[in-house]
Short mmCIF file of all heavy atoms in Angstrom, two decimals:
data_model
loop_
_atom_site.label_atom_id
_atom_site.label_comp_id
_atom_site.label_asym_id
_atom_site.label_seq_id
_atom_site.Cartn_x
_atom_site.Cartn_y
_atom_site.Cartn_z
N ALA U 912 4.63 -6.83 -5.88
CA ALA U 912 3.90 -6.02 -4.85
C ALA U 912 2.40 -6.49 -4.86
O ALA U 912 1.84 -6.73 -5.90
CB ALA U 912 3.95 -4.57 -5.17
N ILE U 913 1.85 -6.70 -3.62
CA ILE U 913 0.46 -7.11 -3.48
C ILE U 913 -0.24 -6.05 -2.57
O ILE U 913 0.21 -5.72 -1.51
CB ILE U 913 0.39 -8.47 -2.89
CG1 ILE U 913 1.10 -9.50 -3.68
CG2 ILE U 913 -1.14 -8.89 -2.71
CD1 ILE U 913 1.07 -10.91 -3.06
N LEU U 914 -1.41 -5.52 -3.17
CA LEU U 914 -2.19 -4.57 -2.43
C LEU U 914 -3.61 -5.11 -2.28
O LEU U 914 -4.19 -5.62 -3.21
CB LEU U 914 -2.27 -3.24 -3.21
CG LEU U 914 -0.99 -2.62 -3.69
CD1 LEU U 914 -1.25 -1.38 -4.57
CD2 LEU U 914 -0.05 -2.21 -2.54
N ILE U 915 -4.19 -4.99 -1.06
CA ILE U 915 -5.57 -5.34 -0.80
C ILE U 915 -6.32 -4.01 -0.73
O ILE U 915 -6.02 -3.23 0.13
CB ILE U 915 -5.74 -6.19 0.45
CG1 ILE U 915 -4.89 -7.41 0.46
CG2 ILE U 915 -7.20 -6.54 0.68
CD1 ILE U 915 -5.20 -8.41 -0.70
N LEU U 916 -7.28 -3.90 -1.62
CA LEU U 916 -8.06 -2.63 -1.70
C LEU U 916 -9.42 -2.80 -1.07
O LEU U 916 -10.18 -3.75 -1.50
CB LEU U 916 -8.21 -2.14 -3.11
CG LEU U 916 -6.88 -1.90 -3.91
CD1 LEU U 916 -7.19 -1.52 -5.34
CD2 LEU U 916 -5.96 -0.93 -3.23
N LYS U 917 -9.76 -1.97 -0.11
CA LYS U 917 -11.05 -2.08 0.52
C LYS U 917 -11.73 -0.68 0.42
O LYS U 917 -11.22 0.30 0.89
CB LYS U 917 -10.89 -2.46 2.04
CG LYS U 917 -12.16 -2.80 2.74
CD LYS U 917 -11.86 -3.30 4.13
CE LYS U 917 -13.14 -3.70 4.88
NZ LYS U 917 -12.84 -4.22 6.19
N ARG U 918 -12.86 -0.70 -0.26
CA ARG U 918 -13.62 0.59 -0.54
C ARG U 918 -12.65 1.56 -1.27
O ARG U 918 -12.69 2.79 -0.95
CB ARG U 918 -14.14 1.22 0.72
CG ARG U 918 -15.15 0.30 1.43
CD ARG U 918 -15.69 0.96 2.70
NE ARG U 918 -16.63 0.02 3.39
CZ ARG U 918 -16.12 -0.83 4.33
NH1 ARG U 918 -14.87 -0.80 4.63
NH2 ARG U 918 -16.96 -1.64 4.94
N GLY U 919 -11.80 1.07 -2.14
CA GLY U 919 -10.98 1.90 -2.96
C GLY U 919 -9.65 2.29 -2.33
O GLY U 919 -8.83 3.01 -3.03
N ASN U 920 -9.46 1.94 -1.10
CA ASN U 920 -8.17 2.32 -0.37
C ASN U 920 -7.38 1.10 -0.02
O ASN U 920 -7.98 0.01 0.15
CB ASN U 920 -8.48 3.17 0.83
CG ASN U 920 -9.12 4.50 0.48
OD1 ASN U 920 -8.77 5.10 -0.51
ND2 ASN U 920 -10.01 4.95 1.32
N ILE U 921 -6.10 1.23 0.16
CA ILE U 921 -5.21 0.15 0.54
C ILE U 921 -5.42 -0.18 2.01
O ILE U 921 -5.14 0.61 2.94
CB ILE U 921 -3.75 0.52 0.28
CG1 ILE U 921 -3.54 0.80 -1.23
CG2 ILE U 921 -2.81 -0.59 0.68
CD1 ILE U 921 -2.16 1.46 -1.56
N SER U 922 -5.85 -1.46 2.21
CA SER U 922 -6.00 -1.89 3.61
C SER U 922 -4.89 -2.77 4.08
O SER U 922 -4.67 -2.92 5.29
CB SER U 922 -7.36 -2.67 3.82
OG SER U 922 -7.32 -3.81 2.99
N LEU U 923 -4.17 -3.36 3.11
CA LEU U 923 -3.06 -4.23 3.44
C LEU U 923 -2.14 -4.28 2.24
O LEU U 923 -2.53 -4.24 1.09
CB LEU U 923 -3.57 -5.67 3.75
CG LEU U 923 -2.63 -6.69 4.33
CD1 LEU U 923 -2.10 -6.29 5.67
CD2 LEU U 923 -3.29 -8.03 4.40
N CYS U 924 -0.84 -4.40 2.54
CA CYS U 924 0.16 -4.55 1.44
C CYS U 924 1.36 -5.36 2.01
O CYS U 924 1.59 -5.49 3.21
CB CYS U 924 0.63 -3.20 0.94
SG CYS U 924 1.57 -2.26 2.13
N ASN U 925 2.13 -5.90 1.09
CA ASN U 925 3.27 -6.76 1.45
C ASN U 925 4.59 -5.94 1.43
O ASN U 925 4.62 -4.77 1.06
CB ASN U 925 3.35 -7.98 0.65
CG ASN U 925 3.69 -7.68 -0.84
OD1 ASN U 925 3.60 -6.52 -1.26
ND2 ASN U 925 4.01 -8.75 -1.58
N ARG U 926 5.70 -6.66 1.78
CA ARG U 926 6.97 -5.95 1.84
C ARG U 926 7.46 -5.41 0.50
O ARG U 926 8.02 -4.33 0.42
CB ARG U 926 8.04 -6.88 2.39
CG ARG U 926 7.75 -7.35 3.83
CD ARG U 926 8.89 -8.26 4.33
NE ARG U 926 8.56 -8.77 5.65
CZ ARG U 926 9.44 -9.49 6.33
NH1 ARG U 926 10.60 -9.88 5.81
NH2 ARG U 926 9.06 -10.00 7.53
N LYS U 927 7.14 -6.21 -0.51
CA LYS U 927 7.56 -5.78 -1.90
C LYS U 927 6.92 -4.50 -2.29
O LYS U 927 7.53 -3.67 -2.96
CB LYS U 927 7.20 -6.92 -2.92
CG LYS U 927 7.75 -6.70 -4.29
CD LYS U 927 9.26 -6.80 -4.31
CE LYS U 927 9.77 -6.61 -5.71
NZ LYS U 927 11.24 -6.79 -5.79
N ALA U 928 5.66 -4.28 -1.86
CA ALA U 928 4.96 -3.05 -2.14
C ALA U 928 5.70 -1.86 -1.45
O ALA U 928 5.80 -0.75 -2.09
CB ALA U 928 3.51 -3.10 -1.70
N LEU U 929 6.13 -2.09 -0.22
CA LEU U 929 6.83 -0.99 0.49
C LEU U 929 8.10 -0.68 -0.24
O LEU U 929 8.46 0.51 -0.40
CB LEU U 929 7.12 -1.43 1.91
CG LEU U 929 5.93 -1.87 2.75
CD1 LEU U 929 6.44 -2.25 4.15
CD2 LEU U 929 4.89 -0.76 2.87
N ASP U 930 8.81 -1.70 -0.70
CA ASP U 930 10.04 -1.49 -1.46
C ASP U 930 9.79 -0.75 -2.80
O ASP U 930 10.52 0.18 -3.19
CB ASP U 930 10.76 -2.75 -1.69
CG ASP U 930 11.26 -3.44 -0.40
OD1 ASP U 930 11.39 -2.74 0.59
OD2 ASP U 930 11.46 -4.66 -0.41
N LEU U 931 8.75 -1.24 -3.48
CA LEU U 931 8.46 -0.72 -4.80
C LEU U 931 8.14 0.77 -4.78
O LEU U 931 8.62 1.60 -5.53
CB LEU U 931 7.35 -1.46 -5.49
CG LEU U 931 6.92 -1.02 -6.88
CD1 LEU U 931 8.03 -1.21 -7.84
CD2 LEU U 931 5.69 -1.79 -7.36
N PHE U 932 7.28 1.17 -3.81
CA PHE U 932 6.81 2.55 -3.72
C PHE U 932 7.67 3.36 -2.74
O PHE U 932 7.38 4.59 -2.59
CB PHE U 932 5.34 2.53 -3.26
CG PHE U 932 4.40 1.96 -4.25
CD1 PHE U 932 3.83 0.67 -4.00
CD2 PHE U 932 4.08 2.59 -5.42
CE1 PHE U 932 3.00 0.14 -4.95
CE2 PHE U 932 3.24 2.01 -6.33
CZ PHE U 932 2.71 0.75 -6.08
N MET U 933 8.62 2.75 -2.08
CA MET U 933 9.51 3.47 -1.17
C MET U 933 8.76 4.15 -0.07
O MET U 933 8.95 5.37 0.28
CB MET U 933 10.40 4.49 -1.94
CG MET U 933 11.34 3.91 -2.93
SD MET U 933 12.27 5.21 -3.78
CE MET U 933 13.31 4.21 -4.84
N ARG U 934 7.79 3.43 0.49
CA ARG U 934 6.93 4.00 1.57
C ARG U 934 6.79 3.02 2.70
O ARG U 934 7.08 1.82 2.54
CB ARG U 934 5.54 4.37 1.01
CG ARG U 934 5.51 5.58 0.13
CD ARG U 934 4.11 5.76 -0.49
NE ARG U 934 3.91 7.06 -1.13
CZ ARG U 934 4.28 7.41 -2.37
NH1 ARG U 934 4.88 6.44 -3.11
NH2 ARG U 934 4.12 8.59 -2.83
N SER U 935 6.38 3.54 3.81
CA SER U 935 6.21 2.70 5.05
C SER U 935 4.81 2.15 5.08
O SER U 935 3.94 2.53 4.30
CB SER U 935 6.47 3.52 6.31
OG SER U 935 5.53 4.57 6.43
N HIS U 936 4.54 1.18 6.02
CA HIS U 936 3.20 0.65 6.16
C HIS U 936 2.24 1.77 6.56
O HIS U 936 1.10 1.79 6.08
CB HIS U 936 3.15 -0.37 7.33
CG HIS U 936 3.47 -1.78 6.85
ND1 HIS U 936 2.68 -2.46 5.98
CD2 HIS U 936 4.59 -2.57 7.15
CE1 HIS U 936 3.22 -3.65 5.73
NE2 HIS U 936 4.39 -3.72 6.38
N LYS U 937 2.68 2.71 7.33
CA LYS U 937 1.80 3.82 7.75
C LYS U 937 1.44 4.69 6.56
O LYS U 937 0.29 5.11 6.39
CB LYS U 937 2.51 4.64 8.83
CG LYS U 937 1.67 5.79 9.42
CD LYS U 937 2.39 6.51 10.52
CE LYS U 937 1.54 7.65 11.07
NZ LYS U 937 2.23 8.36 12.15
N GLU U 938 2.43 4.92 5.70
CA GLU U 938 2.17 5.76 4.52
C GLU U 938 1.30 5.08 3.53
O GLU U 938 0.46 5.74 2.85
CB GLU U 938 3.49 6.16 3.88
CG GLU U 938 4.28 7.11 4.72
CD GLU U 938 5.69 7.35 4.12
OE1 GLU U 938 6.27 6.32 3.72
OE2 GLU U 938 6.22 8.49 4.17
N MET U 939 1.40 3.77 3.44
CA MET U 939 0.60 3.00 2.48
C MET U 939 -0.80 2.77 2.93
O MET U 939 -1.77 2.75 2.12
CB MET U 939 1.29 1.69 2.19
CG MET U 939 2.54 1.76 1.41
SD MET U 939 2.35 2.26 -0.33
CE MET U 939 1.71 0.82 -1.02
N GLY U 940 -0.99 2.53 4.25
CA GLY U 940 -2.28 2.24 4.83
C GLY U 940 -3.31 3.35 4.58
O GLY U 940 -3.06 4.51 4.95
N GLY U 941 -4.47 3.08 3.92
CA GLY U 941 -5.48 4.03 3.73
C GLY U 941 -5.28 4.82 2.48
O GLY U 941 -6.17 5.61 2.06
N ALA U 942 -4.12 4.73 1.79
CA ALA U 942 -3.90 5.49 0.59
C ALA U 942 -4.68 4.84 -0.55
O ALA U 942 -4.92 3.70 -0.56
CB ALA U 942 -2.38 5.54 0.25
N ALA U 943 -5.05 5.72 -1.54
CA ALA U 943 -5.73 5.22 -2.76
C ALA U 943 -4.66 5.03 -3.84
O ALA U 943 -3.65 5.73 -3.81
CB ALA U 943 -6.78 6.20 -3.22
N PRO U 944 -4.84 4.11 -4.75
CA PRO U 944 -3.87 3.95 -5.87
C PRO U 944 -3.63 5.24 -6.60
O PRO U 944 -2.52 5.47 -7.07
CB PRO U 944 -4.59 2.95 -6.77
CG PRO U 944 -5.41 2.12 -5.81
CD PRO U 944 -5.93 3.08 -4.80
N LEU U 945 -4.66 6.13 -6.68
CA LEU U 945 -4.44 7.42 -7.40
C LEU U 945 -3.43 8.31 -6.64
O LEU U 945 -2.81 9.15 -7.25
CB LEU U 945 -5.77 8.17 -7.58
CG LEU U 945 -6.66 7.62 -8.65
CD1 LEU U 945 -8.05 8.38 -8.66
CD2 LEU U 945 -6.00 7.78 -10.02
N ASP U 946 -3.35 8.05 -5.30
CA ASP U 946 -2.40 8.89 -4.54
C ASP U 946 -0.93 8.48 -4.89
O ASP U 946 -0.03 9.24 -4.62
CB ASP U 946 -2.59 8.63 -3.02
CG ASP U 946 -3.96 9.09 -2.58
OD1 ASP U 946 -4.50 10.00 -3.18
OD2 ASP U 946 -4.46 8.53 -1.56
#
C-alpha cells in the first residue's frame, strides 16, 4: 500500500491501499493516518 501525505492527510493512494484498508478512493482521500 502506498499513501501520499500532504499536510498530514492522504492526498493520493494506490489500489493496494484500498484493498488493505477496505475503503474507496473517496473514503481514503483527505483522511489522516490516525483516522
Side-chain angles (χ1 to χ4, degrees):
I913 302 176
L914 309 175
I915 304 298
L916 305 178
K917 191 174 182 179
R918 298 182 186 89
N920 295 324
I921 299 170
S922 62
L923 189 63
C924 67
N925 66 349
R926 297 183 184 183
K927 188 68 177 182
L929 304 180
D930 295 338
L931 180 64
F932 295 105
M933 297 180 177
R934 286 174 167 85
S935 65
H936 273 294
K937 184 177 180 181
E938 291 170 318
M939 292 290 287
L945 283 176
D946 298 333

